[in-house]
Amino acid sequence: MKILIVEDEKIISDVLQEKLEEENFTTKVAADGVEGLEAVQEFEPEMILLDLLMPNMDGFEMLKILKSDPKTKNITVIVLSNLNQDEEIKKALVLGAVDFLVKTQLSLAEVVAKVRQYGYIIK
Amino acid sequence: MRKISRISVNNFCVFDLFHRLCKSFCAIRDNVAVVWFASFSGTVLLLLHGFLMRDMLGQKEAIAFALVIVVSFFVGLLLISEYYAIRNKTDQLVNEKEKFRSLLDDLKFGVYRRSVENGGKFIELNTGLVELLDASSKEELMMHNVTDFYQDKKEMSQFAEKIKKDGCVIGQELHIVSLKGRKFIASVTAVLKKDASDKFFIDGVFEDISEWKKIEEQLTAEKVRVEAILSSIGEATIVQDTHGKILFVNGKAEQLFGIPRVSMIGRSSFDVIHFVDAERRELRDEIRLMQMAVETGKVVKNDKIFFVQKDKSLLPLAVTASPVLVDQKNIGLVSIYRDITQEKEIEYAKTHFVSLAAHQLRTPLSGTKWIIDLLRQNNSLQPSEKKRLDQLYGLNERLIFLVNDLLNVSHVETGSLTVEKKKIDVVHSIEEVVGLLKSDAIAKKQKIVVRTAVKKVALVSDPVLLEEVLKNLLSNAIQYGKVDSKITISIESKSSFVFISVHNVGSFIEPSEFDKIFTKFYRSAAAQKLRPNGTGLGLFFAKSVVDALHGQIGFSSSLKEGTTFYFTLFKKNA
């Protein structure tokens, strides 16, 4: 399964990528929403792990564009952020994310488990 | 002739005798009827005497004699009836006079008639005036002039001028001094009149109004004081009657709304001052709310109203409308408006900070968490290296925990703790939390037992917040519970609510600390000993959440029984 990681914090994206590759997923990293949208076109991921607060274009904006484009609207998007206010969670879910994960609350193994859970649904 | 004269003499003697007898018999002066009757019966006797001696009288003389008797009878009757008519009239007038005199004398105010010249001599006066002017009798007062009682000679001349010009004076206030030197204020109403000989006199009514003046002065002073208090309130204050009409506006309100007081008095506040909500919609509901305050007699608060300023910009306001109750009856409304621009800015900054801090603090923490996580998975690690990494991971977890606690508290304090109600199963939520904290319990060789009579307890509440409370209570039970002991979570489902308790043995809370245990940053002596670096925020947050969910939280703790924290939640959460 091809997973696009959209995350501005390089350390986080590095760790995530390493763990997911280790688990036999194909991954690509984009540092913000703009890069993310470009990567979607070229990489054609089946799943996106999306951070919310990023420079240039934030996760909400990218999610909105993805879900308004018929070509990309079916990609499974899991929000992986450190925001956890109710309004933010609600906003992301309304925009079309399947889940809202808070980074500090999950271990890498739990992130992988979530990815597998939604990946299974895709297949 | 000789005969007649003899008889006449005889008759006169009898008549005179009878008359005298009757007169003396009727000693009562007024008893004319008796006098008349006696005289008349004497005359009849005389007639009888004449009849007996008829032989000596001629027929003509006898008829004339009889006629005289009949005429005298009727004249007497006429005189008597006239006399009685006059006497009745006189009695009536005397009675009337007495009635009015007693009526006037009983009055609490003075009534008098006085001359205009010679300093105003009293002609007539009542007892009321005698009492008011501290005289001992009417006679004593009659010896004085009206002018003797004026305190102020200027007032006296003004009074004289006015009555001369207008013919009357109504309710004139005069400063009076009584015969005993007692000073008071009187209200005088007087009319100028002329008698049959074209002489002027004055009829007047005179009342002591000192008490009224005192009450009036007190009321005025009270009114001035109340207005001064309202004016000096540091916030914009508007007083309305029960129909919403503005009765009073203080200077701050004039300043805040930029509308002069005169333009507001007598009108409804919603007509004069333009209020809208954050979306610039007219505030129909708010008018209703204010009316509610008037109708229910309860204080209504609202901090979501905006005033449209002259430049059309919105000024955020907080209003507190308090009904004015007098003897349980509502007589109006006092509204205090406060400019909350600054509070709104601070609130925004705080909420923004919470959101920013969440991201900024958690990002590096999640980075370290995952890096350590990756490193720990390396199978070629030495046991000592593995141990250090586990410690590092634990420290990082503690930091995350601390940040989460601080953020949770910020949520409570900024009011951004929103409750989202969903249908949930409490047993399931508890099992989830037990699953999360199981490893911590195992590390202390503790066993977590969930006791429930039913497999599912459904209720409407916020699942995330409920889990936060459970996490707090269970992690406390693990941390402060004895090694190798049992932790019991009990669920009791009642008809309208659910009772959840978490029990552990081990450390306990001293009774002296009972009332402080839910206070922010408070840490019990036992807790400080066992976990020196706890935040003291967990139970504060748990209580805030349970309060927000309209539940109740409490605990019991003793050395013998251990510690039980419990809380209740309504099944149909309001």
Side-chain angles (χ1 to χ4, degrees):
Chain A
M1 186 165 64
K2 287 202 280 188
I3 303 172
L4 174 67
I5 301 163
V6 187
E7 168 67 65
D8 63 328
E9 194 67 49
K10 202 172 176 316
I11 299 169
I12 304 267
S13 55
D14 269 2
V15 179
L16 261 176
Q17 193 171 28
E18 187 180 332
K19 181 69 183 175
L20 290 170
E21 295 274 338
E22 209 175 82
E23 300 285 334
N24 298 319
F25 293 103
T26 313
T27 62
K28 186 173 172 68
V29 173
D32 58 42
V34 179
E35 270 188 35
L37 285 175
E38 285 168 8
V40 167
Q41 299 303 324
E42 151 210 337
F43 181 60
E44 292 179 348
E46 291 157 282
M47 184 184 281
I48 299 172
L49 294 181
L50 180 65
D51 187 23
L52 288 176
L53 286 189
M54 293 180 296
N56 302 322
M57 182 193 286
D58 69 13
F60 290 120
E61 188 60 30
M62 183 184 162
L63 185 57
K64 209 186 283 175
I65 296 170
L66 274 177
K67 292 295 168 184
S68 60
D69 185 344
K71 273 188 255 168
T72 56
K73 71 171 185 189
N74 290 325
I75 303 171
T76 303
V77 179
I78 298 175
V79 169
L80 191 54
S81 170
N82 267 324
L83 296 177
N84 72 336
Q85 301 240 39
D86 288 346
E87 312 92 84
E88 289 143 358
I89 298 173
K90 210 183 281 173
K91 192 175 168 188
L93 296 180
V94 166
L95 285 174
V98 291
D99 208 342
F100 194 110
L101 307 180
V102 180
K103 291 172 201 165
T104 48
Q105 287 173 3
L106 298 173
S107 65
L108 278 175
E110 284 164 328
V111 175
V112 171
K114 284 280 178 188
V115 168
R116 281 198 197 287
Q117 180 193 331
Y118 288 107
Y120 182 75
I121 296 167
I122 298 167
K123 279 172 185 170
Chain B
M1 279 302 287
R2 231 178 338 120
K3 273 181 198 172
I4 291 171
S5 66
R6 208 187 64 214
I7 294 165
S8 301
V9 171
N10 279 348
N11 276 350
F12 179 78
C13 292
V14 177
F15 180 84
D16 190 48
L17 182 76
F18 256 93
H19 205 129
R20 277 163 194 254
L21 204 74
C22 290
K23 251 191 157 180
S24 59
F25 175 71
C26 312
I28 314 158
R29 195 171 48 116
D30 290 341
N31 214 338
V32 180
V34 178
V35 176
W36 169 80
F37 181 73
S39 311
F40 183 71
S41 53
T43 313
V44 171
L45 279 173
L46 194 67
L47 181 66
L48 195 66
H49 175 69
F51 176 74
L52 290 172
M53 300 183 65
R54 65 188 176 278
D55 297 340
M56 293 160 81
L57 284 174
Q59 201 179 1
K60 275 183 185 170
E61 281 120 339
I63 291 167
F65 201 63
L67 263 172
V68 167
I69 289 165
V70 170
V71 169
S72 74
F73 171 76
F74 281 107
V75 169
L77 211 62
L78 201 73
L79 282 171
I80 289 165
S81 67
E82 190 63 22
Y83 170 78
Y84 271 101
I86 291 168
R87 217 186 100 171
N88 276 343
K89 203 99 185 165
T90 316
D91 285 353
Q92 226 172 359
L93 282 172
V94 169
N95 281 343
E96 287 290 304
K97 190 184 168 192
E98 277 311 304
K99 208 161 76 186
F100 278 109
R101 181 174 291 282
S102 75
L103 197 71
L104 282 179
D105 280 346
D106 286 347
L107 287 176
K108 279 287 164 207
F109 42 83
V111 181
Y112 63 86
R113 173 168 291 179
R114 70 166 174 94
S115 65
V116 176
E117 287 96 22
N118 307 327
K121 271 254 176 280
F122 286 116
I123 302 164
E124 281 285 349
L125 48 86
N126 73 339
T127 325
L129 193 70
V130 175
E131 283 169 16
L132 279 173
L133 294 173
D134 295 333
S136 54
S137 64
K138 284 186 184 178
E139 289 70 29
E140 189 195 356
L141 203 55
M142 292 291 254
M143 283 160 36
H144 286 274
N145 289 339
V146 170
T147 48
D148 297 347
F149 301 99
Y150 280 99
Q151 276 184 50
D152 183 353
K153 299 297 166 201
K154 205 173 147 197
E155 248 178 32
M156 185 177 82
S157 52
Q158 278 170 353
F159 183 85
E161 265 169 42
K162 191 168 166 50
I163 200 158
K164 209 168 150 189
K165 192 175 145 223
D166 301 339
C168 70
V169 167
I170 296 168
Q172 174 84 44
E173 283 178 18
L174 296 174
H175 289 79
I176 300 295
V177 55
S178 78
L179 286 178
K180 285 184 181 165
R182 182 173 59 86
K183 289 179 177 173
F184 63 93
I185 301 169
S187 162
V188 179
T189 295
V191 189
L192 187 67
K193 288 179 175 173
K194 217 191 259 184
D195 65 8
S197 55
D198 272 357
K199 249 185 152 179
F200 282 107
F201 65 90
I202 292 169
D203 279 347
V205 180
F206 178 98
E207 190 186 2
D208 180 357
I209 55 163
S210 304
E211 282 300 310
W212 288 108
K213 287 303 278 183
K214 215 187 271 174
I215 293 167
E216 196 181 302
E217 273 165 25
Q218 280 170 355
L219 282 174
T220 313
E222 199 60 34
K223 193 180 171 230
V224 168
R225 210 168 63 183
V226 169
E227 288 198 354
I229 291 169
L230 287 172
S231 299
S232 58
I233 292 175
E235 304 288 357
T237 308
I238 291 179
V239 182
Q240 287 160 281
D241 66 10
T242 47
H243 303 291
K245 268 190 187 162
I246 297 175
L247 303 174
F248 174 84
V249 174
N250 74 349
K252 277 272 173 188
E254 273 185 308
Q255 266 175 30
L256 182 70
F257 300 119
I259 303 168
R261 202 172 298 202
V262 282
S263 310
M264 292 200 256
I265 302 285
R267 299 176 65 189
S268 155
S269 61
F270 282 92
D271 288 345
V272 199
I273 310 163
H274 192 190
F275 293 118
V276 291
D277 66 10
E279 272 82 46
R280 287 185 180 266
R281 284 179 301 219
E282 298 298 319
L283 287 174
R284 291 290 138 206
D285 278 358
E286 309 310 313
I287 300 173
R288 212 175 52 77
L289 267 180
M290 304 285 254
Q291 281 166 349
M292 235 168 70
V294 172
E295 281 161 23
T296 61
K298 285 185 181 140
V299 177
V300 171
K301 287 183 182 183
N302 190 332
D303 58 359
K304 290 180 180 66
I305 78 169
F306 294 82
F307 166 59
V308 184
Q309 299 181 100
K310 275 185 187 144
D311 60 357
K312 301 288 168 207
S313 63
L314 298 185
L315 185 73
L317 295 176
V319 58
T320 304
S322 316
V324 184
L325 297 172
V326 175
D327 291 336
Q328 307 290 316
K329 209 178 154 220
N330 200 341
I331 58 158
L333 192 71
V334 178
S335 307
I336 294 178
Y337 295 89
R338 200 158 49 83
D339 176 359
I340 51 166
T341 312
Q342 220 176 355
E343 278 107 313
K344 287 271 175 192
E345 279 166 5
I346 293 168
E347 197 183 299
Y348 175 77
K350 258 183 165 179
T351 322
H352 191 68
F353 166 77
V354 171
S355 178
L356 196 75
H359 192 259
Q360 304 299 51
L361 288 170
R362 280 170 172 164
T363 301
L365 287 172
S366 53
T368 37
K369 178 182 169 108
W370 288 350
I371 290 169
I372 302 164
D373 211 10
L374 265 185
L375 289 173
R376 285 203 300 182
Q377 287 163 22
N378 188 344
N379 292 328
S380 57
L381 284 175
Q382 295 292 317
S384 64
E385 288 169 334
K386 174 104 179 39
K387 189 182 155 196
R388 293 290 174 235
L389 278 176
D390 285 346
Q391 285 172 337
L392 204 55
Y393 190 83
L395 278 173
N396 195 64
E397 282 296 287
R398 226 167 70 193
L399 253 171
I400 291 170
F401 195 77
L402 176 69
V403 168
N404 284 344
D405 262 6
L406 283 169
L407 291 175
N408 282 339
V409 170
S410 296
H411 279 240
V412 170
E413 292 190 332
T414 54
S416 55
L417 185 78
T418 46
V419 178
E420 203 166 331
K421 288 168 211 160
K422 278 184 190 162
K423 275 186 187 172
I424 53 171
D425 170 20
V426 178
V427 182
H428 177 73
S429 297
I430 289 175
E431 279 165 356
E432 290 261 299
V433 174
V434 171
L436 276 173
L437 299 174
K438 210 171 186 172
S439 54
D440 296 346
I442 291 168
K444 282 187 80 173
K445 292 185 193 163
Q446 290 161 331
K447 196 181 169 199
I448 302 173
V449 180
V450 179
R451 258 194 213 152
T452 172
V454 281
K455 280 188 177 168
K456 201 175 167 184
V457 179
L459 61 84
V460 178
S461 193
D462 187 311
V464 180
L465 292 179
L466 174 63
E467 280 184 21
E468 284 298 327
V469 178
L470 288 167
K471 251 193 263 178
N472 255 300
L473 299 187
L474 185 58
S475 90
N476 276 355
I478 294 167
Q479 283 166 33
Y480 303 117
K482 229 157 91 177
V483 176
D484 197 9
S485 66
K486 190 168 83 179
I487 290 166
T488 314
I489 303 176
S490 305
I491 310 161
E492 283 175 57
S493 178
K494 307 282 181 192
S495 61
S496 62
F497 65 93
V498 188
F499 181 91
I500 301 155
S501 65
V502 182
H503 171 258
N504 68 276
V505 285
S507 64
F508 70 102
I509 304 158
E510 294 285 351
S512 61
E513 297 177 304
F514 279 9
D515 57 343
K516 296 176 215 137
I517 214 75
F518 292 111
T519 313
K520 186 165 65 171
F521 296 121
Y522 183 78
R523 303 207 63 226
S524 73
Q528 286 184 48
K529 212 166 150 190
L530 275 165
R531 273 185 69 218
N533 39 25
T535 59
L537 293 170
L539 285 175
F540 167 75
F541 180 65
K543 185 176 184 329
S544 303
V545 170
V546 174
D547 286 346
L549 297 175
H550 305 289
Q552 285 189 320
I553 189 164
F555 67 94
S556 63
S557 186
S558 69
L559 178 63
K560 199 177 159 197
E561 305 289 335
T563 302
T564 307
F565 272 88
Y566 55 82
F567 64 99
T568 59
L569 289 176
F570 284 108
K571 284 189 173 168
K572 280 184 182 161
N573 208 332

